[in-house]
Amino acid sequence: MVKAADLMAIVMARLLRDGETVFHGVASPLPMVAILLARRLHAPHLTYLNITGAVGARPTHLPRSTVDAALARGAPAQVTLTDLFDLAARGRLDTVFLSGVQIDRAGRINLSMVPGVRLPGGAGSAALMPTARRTILWRTRHDRRTFVDALPFVTAAGHVDRVVTPLCVFRRISEQLAVESLHSGVTPANLSAATGFSIAVDDSTPRTPAPTGAELATLAQIDPDRIRDTEF
Amino acid sequence: MVKAADLMAIVMARLLRDGETVFHGVASPLPMVAILLARRLHAPHLTYLNITGAVGARPTHLPRSTVDAALARGAPAQVTLTDLFDLAARGRLDTVFLSGVQIDRAGRINLSMVPGVRLPGGAGSAALMPTARRTILWRTRHDRRTFVDALPFVTAAGHVDRVVTPLCVFRRISEQLAVESLHSGVTPANLSAATGFSIAVDDSTPRTPAPTGAELATLAQIDPDRIRDTEF
Amino acid sequence: MSKIVSLTKAAALVRDGDRIAIGGNTLHRAPCALLHELVRQGRRNLTLVKTAGSYDLDLLCATGSARAVEAGYVGYENVLGLARGYRRSVESGQVEAHEHSCYTVIAALRAAAQGVPFMPIASLEGSDLIAARGFQRIANPYGEGVVVTIPALSPDVALIHVHEADTEGDGAIFGARFEDALMASAARKVILTCERIVDEQLLAERPDRATIPRFEVDAVVELPHGAWPLACPGEYSYDLDFLTAFAAIASDADAVAGFLAERLRW
Amino acid sequence: MSKIVSLTKAAALVRDGDRIAIGGNTLHRAPCALLHELVRQGRRNLTLVKTAGSYDLDLLCATGSARAVEAGYVGYENVLGLARGYRRSVESGQVEAHEHSCYTVIAALRAAAQGVPFMPIASLEGSDLIAARGFQRIANPYGEGVVVTIPALSPDVALIHVHEADTEGDGAIFGARFEDALMASAARKVILTCERIVDEQLLAERPDRATIPRFEVDAVVELPHGAWPLACPGEYSYDLDFLTAFAAIASDADAVAGFLAERLRW
């Protein structure tokens, strides 16, 4: 049985395209791992961007904080976070990884508040989600409190392409999340029960291709300390 | 007889106050010399700023281009020209040296055009003159084509404090240039004849204090190649 | 004109009710020793400005020093999760959370640094933050469309921890610079704390010269380990034991007071 | 994915009628070898964008390559004075002078770099440039007053000469950086010429890493002495003999053509 963290990292890595610019923000171990994995596997010319402002860093170890100086190591160029937001603002950032405490059927996210509870805040999401060419959302929890019918507050909305969860991959089509593939071991009934809005899913829904040996081996090399597990 | 370039550099240096921030732009040998002279004489804590973005540079030789890398030497901090314009824009730049092909009675300048003739352009003046706390104008020519009653084009206007010429020092009072002091050898009649707008000047007008031996000696040390003469 | 002052005097430049901008990002290079001193001196009613903070913001909320937080993110990332001092103080009404996107903090500081009342911004559409924060849309005077604007935010004081500074206030940061130089430009006063005071000449000889220039800076305090318990890149990592202990009790003001008194030897 | 191309191919990225931003300032670090190649290839109707230029702008005016200049200053400073090629072409009506203040060029590039249609600016009051250029004032949506705005300017191509670049397009400038990084951000395409191609790893090990990042850059040309006859700080000074000879004839198109053919061995 492949662990959810491993499967999600691999699925997220597969979504990245060679040559593109890709950014992750604070509290983003899975995107960090996915980006470095994709660069080792099929996207050697990915330009890796993060909050340190380093461009094309080549970390020698992975930190728990995804703002760590380790993620600036080996970068030939250094700009500021402001420059990276500007890059997105002018429509030139290809892909950003974002998450939400709650996600609705349109792929909008809430990181701000639910009634009576203060959440950590959306960080860069309200700025990046409408401007980056593509947002990939990920969320390590898939239940009805997370995937909800209506958000009490919309922190960010924008160009969501995919949502990766421990149960499935959603793809946004006509501004609605649709199930693209179910992960191994997840039944259509499981998924419907865990999702707070109605989804079309049945036995004909594709299965997420299983991780290959090469994917798993490379993942183990890149993240030997299993930083990716800190999200679970 | 003190050369005009020497006198002007010394008079300009005297106008600077210890501890202030002072900026010059392109094509500004006299301000460059005046700033470095003031720092050696009475204003050791002047913060010297120029187009290179260097902060507090300590040049070891003076170049003919006042954008030269020589003017970034020895600077502990390096920002960009943009940062220096921003400094002025938020009202925190103390003094800027600017010049004009033409200057009117209000201390406004024209660097853009006279009918049929294209001039080099105002560089930073339109941005700096209204925002810097104080503008010191200098002009190495003092005649009726230069100090004019009306400008065909106002490139910049703003917080002019003094105008230093080979003949006199003007001070702006109630938005009008008034003669503050006449240089040695200049008569009231000479000055009136050379100035294209009416001025109050007579035998009671103060004389510009003559350069001291220390001022002249320090000037000779700072600018042994007489870069200051390139403006004449 | 040396700007070097004691920690006590530097902290006294911050007044009750000030809006303070805090350098660094999440667990990295915040001026924590200076913030501890503000707490020790009993500063109150501070408004905290930051793109993404952790212990710095949590501390000032947990100790009752803050009355508002203008930030994009408050938390300990996946290292320790929630900032419970912040959360409790917001939920109890003691602190107002003026949520920003990190980029709207940047836009607001840019407006202040450039001396203009607002900054247009090419994003935020679809976010409830526009209405919640009262961000105004204005018409493009050069063509079609409207653009969201962010009002200028000029902090009373920016508190920034750097690697090296000279006595005149030039500050050099090695590695990620975050928004610190922008904060320094936008703020009315700037206090630098630094790992080391160095000679001006030494900064001049470095290829990566200081990026926070003397003309922004009002006071410099030499404070080795001044970012502790957060990290200072290239110098030390964050103190996980300390942060773990703090984060666990951050929602309990009395426990926090006792913890700080003991651990900081007040 | 190496971005290294020949000079010929790099110049071909610039099309007739393009608006081009030119790096450097006055006599320093303009991409002159690339500009020479544009002239050699007969490029026409270019609009030139720069804060303060000298030979670069004078050359493209003198050779009939330009139709407009958007700049704050055009001249050889006190080194050689007037830019006669520029002056003659403007006075004859061949080139339009769209005068800017250096800071309005910066504001216009900032707007483009930030993806917004205009930038507010805290200056220019009292200048006839506002009316001459049609800069619009807008009301402050957060309080009293109006503010001057500058419309965004997105060059088709930015041409920048740097000290070192790697094959992926990261460009490192030593010393004064001027507005080059901003130009790169604002432009749709970016061509770097460089003194030296270096290994990416070498840039990573420098304390002053590249400030023009690969994601801005479309093409890199290794061109030692690529700023000549202008200066490249730390490498060589401007060529006073060449510039003196050029400046003296710059108002005579035929003489300029002959001079370039001889001196550049076309």
Side-chain angles (χ1 to χ4, degrees):
Chain A
M1 181 65 188
V2 177
K3 288 187 72 164
D6 297 18
L7 180 64
M8 285 182 69
I10 289 166
V11 168
M12 288 159 71
R14 288 174 183 165
L15 293 171
L16 297 173
R17 303 158 185 153
D18 199 18
E20 70 178 340
T21 50
V22 56
F23 175 84
H24 73 68
V26 302
S28 301
L30 277 169
M32 168 182 75
V33 171
I35 290 166
L36 298 174
L37 181 60
R39 198 163 63 179
R40 280 282 293 280
L41 291 171
H42 63 278
H45 297 284
L46 212 55
T47 297
Y48 170 38
L49 306 172
N50 60 52
I51 301 245
T52 66
V55 179
R58 303 197 170 274
T60 52
H61 78 277
L62 296 190
R64 289 163 70 101
S65 160
T66 63
V67 185
D68 198 276
L71 301 182
R73 249 187 110 89
Q78 170 89 47
V79 295
T80 67
L81 175 57
T82 296
D83 294 310
L84 300 180
F85 277 117
D86 287 347
L87 176 70
R90 61 183 182 267
R92 299 278 292 257
L93 176 63
D94 292 316
T95 297
V96 60
F97 282 106
L98 297 170
S99 188
V101 171
Q102 294 180 317
I103 300 173
D104 77 3
R105 67 172 69 230
R108 302 187 302 175
I109 63 176
N110 176 22
L111 285 156
S112 301
M113 52 80 73
V114 294
V117 179
R118 180 64 217 169
L119 301 175
S125 58
L128 296 172
M129 208 155 147
T131 57
R133 287 174 176 158
R134 175 169 79 132
T135 294
I136 299 173
L137 294 176
W138 89 102
R139 185 69 170 96
T140 56
R141 180 195 295 234
H142 192 142
D143 59 26
R144 285 177 168 260
R145 290 174 55 200
T146 304
F147 287 88
V148 298
D149 194 50
L151 300 175
F153 190 94
V154 178
T155 306
H159 303 137
V160 170
D161 175 43
R162 301 295 215 296
V163 185
V164 178
T165 85
L167 303 184
C168 75
V169 178
F170 290 110
R171 181 167 196 171
R172 199 171 77 148
I173 298 167
S174 305
E175 313 219 337
Q176 298 289 318
L177 299 189
V179 181
E180 181 173 53
S181 70
L182 279 175
H183 298 339
S184 171
V186 180
T187 67
N190 294 153
L191 190 68
S192 291
T195 305
F197 47 83
S198 61
I199 50 175
V201 60
D202 59 27
D203 290 338
S204 71
T205 303
R207 288 283 160 181
T208 307
T212 66
E215 285 171 334
L216 289 166
T218 308
L219 177 61
Q221 283 170 21
I222 281 172
D223 183 21
D225 301 329
R226 299 198 62 91
I227 301 295
R228 59 196 181 277
D229 287 346
T230 63
E231 286 210 51
F232 290 84
Chain B
M1 181 68 189
V2 177
K3 288 188 71 166
D6 297 19
L7 180 64
M8 285 183 70
I10 288 166
V11 168
M12 288 160 71
R14 289 173 182 165
L15 294 172
L16 296 174
R17 302 159 184 152
D18 198 19
E20 70 177 341
T21 50
V22 55
F23 176 84
H24 73 69
V26 303
S28 301
L30 277 170
M32 168 182 76
V33 171
I35 291 166
L36 297 173
L37 180 60
R39 199 164 63 179
R40 280 281 294 279
L41 290 171
H42 62 278
H45 296 286
L46 212 56
T47 298
Y48 170 38
L49 306 172
N50 60 52
I51 301 242
T52 66
V55 179
R58 302 197 170 274
T60 53
H61 78 276
L62 296 190
R64 290 163 68 99
S65 159
T66 62
V67 184
D68 198 276
L71 301 182
R73 250 187 107 90
Q78 170 89 47
V79 296
T80 67
L81 175 57
T82 296
D83 294 310
L84 301 181
F85 277 118
D86 287 347
L87 176 70
R90 62 182 182 269
R92 299 279 292 257
L93 176 63
D94 292 315
T95 297
V96 60
F97 282 105
L98 296 170
S99 188
V101 171
Q102 295 179 317
I103 299 172
D104 76 4
R105 66 172 70 230
R108 304 187 300 174
I109 63 175
N110 176 22
L111 285 157
S112 301
M113 52 80 75
V114 294
V117 179
R118 180 66 216 169
L119 300 175
S125 59
L128 296 172
M129 208 156 146
T131 58
R133 287 174 177 159
R134 175 169 79 132
T135 294
I136 300 173
L137 294 177
W138 89 101
R139 184 71 169 97
T140 56
R141 178 193 297 235
H142 192 143
D143 59 26
R144 286 177 169 260
R145 290 175 55 199
T146 305
F147 286 87
V148 297
D149 193 53
L151 300 174
F153 190 94
V154 178
T155 306
H159 304 138
V160 170
D161 175 43
R162 301 296 215 294
V163 185
V164 179
T165 85
L167 302 185
C168 74
V169 178
F170 290 111
R171 181 168 194 169
R172 199 172 75 150
I173 299 167
S174 305
E175 314 219 338
Q176 298 289 317
L177 299 189
V179 180
E180 181 173 53
S181 69
L182 279 174
H183 299 339
S184 170
V186 180
T187 66
N190 294 153
L191 190 68
S192 291
T195 305
F197 47 83
S198 61
I199 50 174
V201 61
D202 59 28
D203 290 338
S204 71
T205 302
R207 290 281 160 184
T208 306
T212 66
E215 285 171 333
L216 289 167
T218 308
L219 177 61
Q221 282 170 21
I222 281 171
D223 183 23
D225 300 329
R226 299 198 63 91
I227 300 295
R228 59 195 180 280
D229 286 347
T230 62
E231 287 209 50
F232 290 84
Chain C
M1 286 190 287
S2 170
K3 292 174 182 159
I4 305 216
V5 299
S6 67
L7 177 58
T8 311
K9 282 202 174 162
L13 292 173
V14 179
R15 309 297 176 86
D16 283 355
D18 272 358
R19 180 186 265 172
I20 64 172
I22 301 171
N25 192 290
T26 66
L27 295 157
H28 311 277
R29 212 172 37 69
C32 294
L34 180 52
L35 301 180
H36 289 148
E37 180 64 15
L38 292 180
V39 172
R40 199 188 65 77
Q41 293 187 9
R43 208 67 75 253
R44 282 289 180 278
N45 289 319
L46 301 174
T47 294
L48 316 181
V49 177
K50 183 139 187 174
T51 55
S54 65
Y55 173 73
D56 46 357
L57 307 182
D58 207 23
L59 170 78
L60 293 175
C61 289
T63 54
S65 313
R67 76 162 170 215
V69 175
E70 309 201 44
Y73 170 86
V74 189
Y76 294 84
E77 300 192 83
N78 301 91
V79 176
L80 288 165
L82 296 173
R84 293 188 179 81
Y86 167 70
R87 187 167 180 167
R88 181 203 50 81
S89 61
V90 172
E91 290 170 9
S92 72
Q94 181 189 321
V95 166
E96 292 173 33
H98 297 161
E99 185 175 341
H100 264 275
S101 172
C102 297
Y103 195 45
T104 63
V105 174
I106 290 168
L109 295 172
R110 273 176 157 166
Q114 296 174 30
V116 292
F118 65 89
M119 186 60 37
I121 188 172
S123 56
L124 250 60
E125 285 301 348
S127 170
D128 287 344
L129 286 172
I130 297 175
R133 300 302 314 279
F135 296 143
Q136 300 295 307
R137 291 182 179 84
I138 61 175
N140 170 14
Y142 299 99
E144 299 287 297
V146 296
V147 60
V148 177
T149 67
I150 309 297
L153 188 166
S154 186
D156 295 296
V157 194
L159 317 180
I160 297 170
H161 186 69
V162 302
H163 291 81
E164 296 180 351
D166 63 26
T167 60
E168 303 284 313
D170 302 295
I173 294 166
F174 305 142
R177 299 189 301 276
F178 306 125
E179 281 64 62
D180 294 23
L182 178 59
M183 281 180 176
S185 296
R188 294 190 181 89
K189 284 184 283 192
V190 176
I191 306 171
L192 295 188
T193 65
C194 64
E195 292 293 318
R196 291 174 294 282
I197 299 284
V198 298
D199 192 80
E200 175 178 335
Q201 197 52 39
L202 197 125
L203 289 179
E205 285 162 10
R206 295 190 63 98
D208 50 342
R209 297 191 273 187
T211 51
I212 297 183
R214 56 182 59 187
F215 55 72
E216 313 280 25
V217 174
D218 297 274
V220 178
V221 189
E222 188 170 34
L223 278 178
H225 241 65
W228 175 86
L230 296 184
C232 188
E235 307 278 338
Y236 43 88
S237 187
Y238 51 81
D239 182 338
L240 187 58
D241 289 343
F242 182 97
L243 292 177
T244 303
F246 179 84
I249 57 152
S251 62
D252 179 340
D254 291 339
V256 164
F259 176 85
L260 294 175
E262 181 201 332
R263 299 292 281 264
L264 303 177
R265 301 197 188 101
W266 284 349
Chain D
M1 286 191 289
S2 169
K3 291 173 183 160
I4 306 217
V5 299
S6 68
L7 177 57
T8 311
K9 281 202 175 161
L13 293 172
V14 178
R15 309 296 176 87
D16 283 355
D18 272 358
R19 179 186 267 172
I20 64 172
I22 300 171
N25 192 290
T26 64
L27 296 156
H28 311 278
R29 211 171 39 66
C32 294
L34 179 53
L35 301 180
H36 288 149
E37 180 63 17
L38 292 180
V39 172
R40 200 189 64 79
Q41 292 187 9
R43 209 67 75 252
R44 282 291 180 276
N45 289 320
L46 301 175
T47 293
L48 316 181
V49 177
K50 183 138 184 173
T51 55
S54 66
Y55 173 73
D56 45 356
L57 307 182
D58 206 24
L59 170 78
L60 294 175
C61 289
T63 54
S65 313
R67 76 160 171 217
V69 174
E70 308 200 45
Y73 170 86
V74 189
Y76 293 85
E77 302 191 83
N78 301 89
V79 176
L80 288 166
L82 295 173
R84 293 187 178 80
Y86 166 70
R87 187 167 180 167
R88 181 203 51 80
S89 61
V90 172
E91 289 170 10
S92 72
Q94 181 189 320
V95 165
E96 292 172 34
H98 297 162
E99 184 176 340
H100 263 274
S101 172
C102 297
Y103 195 44
T104 63
V105 175
I106 289 168
L109 294 172
R110 274 177 156 166
Q114 296 174 31
V116 292
F118 65 89
M119 186 60 40
I121 188 172
S123 57
L124 249 59
E125 284 302 346
S127 171
D128 287 345
L129 286 173
I130 297 174
R133 300 304 313 278
F135 296 143
Q136 300 296 307
R137 291 181 179 85
I138 60 176
N140 170 14
Y142 299 99
E144 299 288 296
V146 295
V147 60
V148 177
T149 66
I150 310 297
L153 189 166
S154 186
D156 295 297
V157 194
L159 317 181
I160 297 169
H161 186 68
V162 302
H163 291 80
E164 295 180 352
D166 62 25
T167 60
E168 302 284 313
D170 302 295
I173 294 166
F174 306 142
R177 299 189 301 276
F178 305 125
E179 282 63 61
D180 294 23
L182 178 59
M183 281 180 176
S185 296
R188 296 190 180 88
K189 284 184 284 193
V190 175
I191 305 172
L192 296 188
T193 64
C194 64
E195 292 292 318
R196 289 174 296 281
I197 298 284
V198 297
D199 193 81
E200 174 178 335
Q201 196 52 38
L202 197 125
L203 289 179
E205 284 161 12
R206 294 190 63 99
D208 50 342
R209 297 191 274 187
T211 52
I212 298 182
R214 55 182 59 186
F215 54 72
E216 313 281 23
V217 175
D218 297 274
V220 178
V221 189
E222 188 170 33
L223 278 178
H225 242 64
W228 175 87
L230 296 184
C232 188
E235 306 277 338
Y236 44 88
S237 186
Y238 51 81
D239 183 338
L240 186 59
D241 290 343
F242 182 98
L243 293 177
T244 302
F246 178 84
I249 57 152
S251 62
D252 179 340
D254 290 339
V256 164
F259 176 85
L260 294 175
E262 180 203 332
R263 299 294 281 264
L264 304 178
R265 303 200 186 99
W266 285 349

